[in-house]
């Protein structure tokens, strides 16, 4: 990843996800689209609504790892981070894996999270 500000935004998002700190994850976003299991794909949501839905998705789980696989620039102002998530459902030991795509947009020089897409 050539852009230091993008790399920093990706790292902040990774750390927030690992802590299940959904407010920190979405705090710099004006709107976010969610594509997460058991919910229909969303239109753009305000950060408060997105954080409630993400919290509901993450709360029954415990993170094992959330490792960055790749960052792709789609345009000067759009990029995606591909992250491999390994987790367990609380009360179980079976590890599960998902790929999480975190979509970022640069606006006025700062990168913010614009999309969370989870694929099994």
């Amino acid at each position: 990843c050539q852009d230091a500000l993008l790399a920093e935004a990706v790292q902040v998002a990774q750390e927030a996800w690992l802590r299940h700190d959904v407010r920190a994850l979405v705090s710099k976003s004006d709107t976010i689209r969610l594509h997460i299991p058991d919910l229909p794909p969303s239109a753009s949501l305000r950060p408060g609504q997105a954080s409630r839905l993400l919290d509901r998705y993450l709360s029954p789980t415990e993170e094992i790892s959330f490792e960055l696989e790749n960052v792709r620039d789609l345009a000067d102002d759009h990029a995606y981070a591909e992250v491999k998530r390994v987790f367990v459902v609380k009360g179980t030991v079976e590890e599960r894996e998902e790929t999480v795509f975190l979509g970022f947009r640069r606006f006025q020089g700062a990168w913010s999270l614009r999309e969370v897409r989870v694929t099994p």
Side-chain angles (χ1 to χ4, degrees):
C1 178
Q2 302 294 333
D3 187 322
L5 292 176
L6 175 58
E8 182 181 336
V10 170
Q11 182 177 359
V12 167
Q14 281 181 271
E15 292 169 359
W17 185 289
L18 280 168
R19 293 190 315 271
H20 288 189
D21 186 350
V22 293
R23 282 181 178 67
L25 185 64
V26 302
S27 67
K28 294 184 175 153
S29 305
D30 57 350
T31 60
I32 301 168
R33 289 186 313 268
L34 298 179
H35 302 272
I36 55 180
D38 301 325
L39 284 178
S42 75
S44 293
L45 302 170
R46 302 299 298 167
Q49 187 177 11
S51 68
R52 284 189 295 277
L53 292 171
L54 283 167
D55 186 55
R56 189 166 58 191
Y57 177 66
L58 293 175
S59 64
T61 66
E62 292 178 15
E63 304 302 314
I64 304 297
S65 64
F66 197 69
E67 296 293 324
L68 182 63
E69 298 279 309
N70 190 19
V71 176
R72 287 193 312 258
D73 295 321
L74 300 180
D76 288 346
D77 63 344
H78 284 81
Y80 274 89
E82 179 181 344
V83 186
K84 180 181 172 188
R85 177 185 186 217
V86 180
F87 66 100
V88 296
V89 174
K90 290 178 182 172
T92 71
V93 295
E94 180 186 344
E95 290 187 6
R96 300 177 185 201
E97 288 186 17
E98 295 175 329
T99 300
V100 179
F101 294 95
L102 301 173
F104 292 87
R105 179 172 173 238
R106 181 172 40 209
F107 183 70
Q108 297 179 341
W111 288 94
S112 63
L113 185 67
R114 294 298 302 248
E115 182 176 7
V116 175
R117 182 183 299 266
V118 178
T119 60

